[in-house]
Every structure is written in structure tokens, then in C-alpha cells.
Amino acid sequence: MRQFSADYLDRTRRGMWADSRAALADLDLAGRERVLDVGCGTGELTAVLAEEAPDATVVGVDADTDLLAVARERVAGDRGDPAAPSHDDRVYFAAGDATRLPVPDDSFDLVVCQALLVNLPDPAAAIREFARVSSDRVAAVEPDNGDVAVSSTVETEASLSATARDAFVDGVATDVTAAGVADTFAAVGLSEVTTRRYHHEKRVEPPYSEADLRDASRKASGAGLADHETELERALSPAGYDDLRRRWREMGRAVVAQMQTDDYRRVEVVPFDVTVGRV
């Protein structure tokens, strides 16, 4: 499974649920009693689930204990005992592998994940495990990384983003397009499988936030590409990656220059599918 830093998760998941939670409507959260968030990372979705399921106990599970420490601080307010509950005794976190969950059969009435299956070499193994521990529903919120659209006031940004995105999709070891999730749900025995597509829009415009300024700096330094250097080199060759990084840094410097005069605008639209099935 691919590994991510807390900073990376914050940058990529930032704001996804801030504007609308309509994508969670099919999860029937208001009536849930026990909800499991698998691959919870730093707890962004865990917090949303706790808000939208006000009577439920919500448990976040992740194999990365460093990310869990961030999640506990962010969501649960826990600074000490890793087994301690949140301030309202409803949100808990535990270490565990998505394909070997440390809970008994039928322990939850909803098991959900966000941007997890696209990073697993065998997503079907995880979905089977979700079905084992759920007594009712299984859901997956997965991005289609191959269909992201970018527009920008920097002339080269959209084309360079498309080049990097296509190379990443070709070079990564898993299916990051979320294709076939519904078929996999059905193949492991889930019924009443539905998929709805939503679009998450990320805008950058004046006044720029601290996060916007950091992202621009990462473009200008080439650090933004370095997150995916292995995958990009696999698709492009080391020389091809170096050339892309050079052009990326030039584009980043243009972004910084436009920000200095409040002229920079960028819109990124990320499509994601919410797939739900009944056990």
C-alpha cells in the first residue's frame, strides 16, 4: 500500500466536505449507531461522519500510527492515552490493516473509506473485509485521478498538470482512477450497489490563504512533483522527469509572480464516486 504524510493528506483532502455533504446522503448517516472509517489517515472524514451521525459511535482505523496520532489530536482532542475516547465519548481511533480489521464480524452498521481503494494493490480483499465487519452497508468515496480538470491564469499550468497526471496514472502501481469499484462490490457479494459521481472544486483566488502560498512555493521549488517522483520516473524515465520538473518550476515561478499582483486564479475539479452496497 502507498504511504502518505499528514501534510500530503491535509493538502489533498483539504476542503472536500466544507461546502457540501450531499455526497454522503446515500449512507443514511442520521440513523447509524456504529460507523467504521477504514484508512482514516488524519481523520478528516472521521470528523465529518461523527457530525453527520450524531448518535453513532465512530471508529477510525489506519495502519499508520503517525497519522493516527494527528487524527486523535485533530478530532478526538486526545493528547495522552491512545485508547482514550474523544471529548464526547463517541470518536475512537485504532491501528489496523484494511485487509485484516481488528474487529469481530458484524460490528458496525456502516463501514466506509475515502481515497483508500485507489491506493491498494488488492481492493477486493479490503472490500471483503468491510463486508465481514458490517451488518448493513459498505461505502467507498474514491477519486477518479485520471479525470481531474485544471484551469489557470498561468498559461502552461493546465497542460503541465495534465502531463503530470497522465504520467502518474501510467506509473503508479494501483488503479487510481477508481474504475471498477462498483463491479468489485458486486463481485464480493454486496447487493443493491449504487454509484453516484460528484465533483469537488478547489479554487485559488485572492485573498490567498497561507495554504495557497505554500502550494505556490512548492510548485516553484518542484517539491509538488517530488511527492510522486517514483511514479513519474517510471512512466517518463529519469530524464523525462527532470525535464518535467524544470518546466514545472518555471510554471511555479509564474504562479508566484501572478500572486504578487493578485492576478492568479486556478480552478481544479476532482471527480469522485460514492459507491454503496448492502451486505
Side-chain angles (χ1 to χ4, degrees):
M1 179 180 172
R2 296 168 60 214
Q3 300 295 312
F4 301 100
S5 68
D7 176 68
Y8 177 84
L9 291 179
D10 179 66
R11 284 187 285 106
T12 56
R13 297 185 181 184
R14 184 189 306 132
M16 181 167 179
W17 305 110
D19 297 329
S20 173
R21 296 177 181 178
L24 301 176
D26 289 346
L27 278 59
D28 299 326
L29 288 169
R32 297 295 172 190
E33 296 180 357
R34 288 182 60 80
V35 178
L36 180 65
D37 177 13
V38 183
C40 66
T42 49
E44 289 86 355
L45 179 60
T46 315
V48 171
L49 294 171
E51 292 174 11
E52 298 297 314
D55 298 320
T57 297
V58 180
V59 179
V61 171
D62 202 282
D64 190 323
T65 55
D66 291 336
L67 297 182
L68 288 176
V70 176
R72 289 190 181 100
E73 182 172 340
R74 174 178 292 171
V75 179
D78 169 43
R79 305 294 197 278
D81 180 4
S86 69
H87 61 279
D88 60 5
D89 294 335
R90 288 200 306 115
V91 180
Y92 299 78
F93 293 96
D97 189 302
T99 61
R100 297 186 299 276
L101 293 170
V103 295
D105 296 357
D106 303 327
S107 299
F108 296 86
D109 51 21
L110 171 65
V111 178
V112 61
C113 66
Q114 176 182 350
L116 173 70
L117 302 180
V118 292
N119 296 308
L120 294 179
D122 185 6
I127 297 170
R128 281 192 293 270
E129 187 69 348
F130 297 177
R132 177 185 70 80
V133 305
S134 176
S135 63
D136 185 25
R137 297 289 180 91
V138 170
V141 180
E142 298 292 324
D144 183 349
N145 291 293
D147 197 27
V148 176
V150 173
S151 61
S152 170
T153 53
V154 172
E155 184 177 357
T156 59
E157 184 167 14
S159 61
L160 282 175
S161 295
T163 298
R165 180 172 62 253
D166 291 345
F168 172 73
V169 170
D170 289 342
V172 73
T174 62
D175 182 1
V176 295
T177 67
V181 172
D183 290 341
T184 306
F185 268 46
V188 303
L190 296 173
S191 63
E192 301 177 29
V193 178
T194 63
T195 297
R196 299 183 191 273
R197 172 153 289 203
Y198 297 85
H199 292 85
H200 172 46
E201 185 176 275
K202 303 178 184 179
R203 286 187 170 270
V204 178
E205 56 192 5
Y208 306 116
S209 68
E210 288 297 324
D212 295 336
L213 297 173
R214 285 195 302 270
D215 286 347
S217 176
R218 286 173 57 81
K219 287 186 175 77
S221 69
L225 284 187
D227 287 334
H228 307 298
E229 180 177 353
T230 299
E231 295 85 0
L232 294 173
E233 283 194 346
R234 186 179 296 135
L236 298 172
S237 78
Y241 169 74
D242 287 343
D243 180 65
L244 176 62
R245 190 166 186 262
R246 176 186 58 79
R247 290 183 289 145
W248 191 271
R249 293 173 66 185
E250 290 176 356
M251 176 269 289
R253 290 191 288 271
V255 168
V256 171
Q258 286 194 10
M259 279 186 157
Q260 291 172 344
T261 56
D262 283 349
D263 291 322
Y264 180 64
R265 306 287 191 283
R266 181 181 190 271
V267 179
E268 180 181 43
V269 179
V270 181
F272 64 98
D273 294 332
V274 179
T275 303
V276 182
R278 186 182 294 277
V279 178

